[in-house]
Amino acid sequence: MNMIWLLRAAKWARRPPSASTVKMVLGIIAAGLALVALEKLGLWPDWATLDPRPPRVPR
């Protein structure tokens, strides 16, 4: 383990993040997982999907 990570963990243990920060991070993670689940279930709309680019042909 790097010493910087150990110092960061000690700082985090002394001053943990607020409840609102934890809720915000968990909300962002939940939103990302919901988007992945929609994509995997086939419920993602076609208009929100990027068209794949064809491979570039070298000159």
Side-chain angles (χ1 to χ4, degrees), residues 8-46:
R8 186 177 292 183
K11 179 182 171 187
W12 199 40
R14 287 187 201 113
R15 285 186 49 109
S18 65
S20 61
T21 304
V22 173
K23 288 178 187 177
M24 180 186 64
V25 169
L26 290 177
I28 291 170
I29 291 171
L33 290 175
L35 290 176
V36 169
L38 286 174
E39 176 70 30
K40 294 293 181 184
L41 293 173
L43 300 174
W44 190 254
D46 289 335

